[in-house]
Amino acid sequence: MSLSHSLFRLCDTLDQLFIKIGYYVSYLFLFIVAIGFYEVVARYLFSSPTIWVHEVTTFLVSLSLLYGGVACYANNKHIAMIFIREQFSPKVRWILALLVEFLVFIFFILLSYGAYLSAIEALFTPMGTFKMQTSGTVLDMPFPAIEKTFFFISCLMVLFLSVLHIFRHIRSKNQEVKS
């Protein structure tokens, strides 16, 4: 089995894995609705609002949306204006698709760097001691540190996928030439 074939299979396998995980992550929204309903009942029927629902909801939605970006990229369901691309010949469309993949790669290199700096700042004090940034609310949970770390991890996931997608795209052209 050649290296390019292995990369092609790895790309497809990871795409499918990230998509499948995305389906399970989407169930978090059901939980979010349930705790939101609980908050409404507690607040308006029993005059006993919670102190945790809003913060937990915000945290779970942010993680879900971050992972949703990874799953959308893996599934090739991100925003694209294909009506413009369809005006060109197949060769130009192939080149444009490769350009988009390279731009995604460059964007996520830069975004990963910024996310890394943010995560490090949220996890460590200026003196280098591990101390997770907290929300500063009544709960004072380490949600900001977890969110910033997960943002960095999700950037790395898309960065890695973009490299594999570039190789897969180039290989698809090489397969056309061989055919």
Side-chain angles (χ1 to χ4, degrees):
M1 186 183 305
S2 70
L3 178 62
S4 65
H5 184 69
S6 298
L7 287 173
F8 189 78
R9 289 194 55 199
L10 176 63
C11 184
D12 287 345
T13 302
L14 285 177
D15 281 345
Q16 293 307 312
L17 175 67
F18 288 152
I19 292 165
K20 189 171 201 165
I21 291 170
Y23 288 124
Y24 291 112
V25 169
S26 69
Y27 286 111
L28 280 176
F29 288 106
L30 184 60
F31 178 70
I32 291 165
V33 168
I35 64 175
F37 179 75
Y38 173 80
E39 171 66 19
V40 168
V41 170
R43 177 179 299 264
Y44 295 107
L45 288 182
F46 300 108
S47 295
S48 181
T50 65
I51 60 170
W52 59 270
V53 169
H54 177 73
E55 193 168 344
V56 170
T57 298
T58 304
F59 173 69
L60 292 176
V61 167
S62 69
L63 293 183
S64 300
L65 292 177
L66 284 172
Y67 190 81
V70 175
C72 285
Y73 184 72
N75 202 14
N76 199 24
K77 297 288 184 184
H78 47 82
I79 297 172
M81 292 187 249
I82 60 171
F83 67 93
I84 296 172
R85 186 175 52 194
E86 296 301 318
Q87 304 299 317
F88 299 104
S89 69
K91 183 177 181 178
V92 172
R93 284 197 301 259
W94 186 89
I95 291 169
L96 288 174
L98 183 61
L99 175 64
V100 167
E101 293 293 351
F102 272 116
L103 291 174
V104 166
F105 173 71
I106 291 168
F107 177 76
F108 274 93
I109 284 176
L110 298 172
L111 194 60
S112 296
Y113 177 69
Y116 168 78
L117 294 177
S118 182
I120 290 299
E121 187 177 288
L123 294 172
F124 297 96
T125 65
M127 299 302 290
T129 307
F130 180 76
K131 184 176 186 309
M132 295 176 80
Q133 182 182 36
T134 59
S135 60
T137 63
V138 173
L139 291 180
D140 204 33
M141 298 298 291
F143 290 159
I146 295 168
E147 288 169 335
K148 291 174 183 180
T149 302
F150 188 72
F151 179 51
F152 174 60
I153 292 167
S154 65
C155 286
L156 291 179
M157 285 189 264
V158 174
L159 183 62
F160 185 67
L161 278 179
S162 71
V163 170
L164 293 176
H165 285 197
I166 288 169
F167 283 121
R168 180 173 64 189
H169 191 73
I170 291 170
R171 185 170 187 271
S172 73
K173 184 65 172 177
N174 290 341
Q175 294 292 43
E176 287 176 22
V177 171
K178 289 178 185 176
S179 299

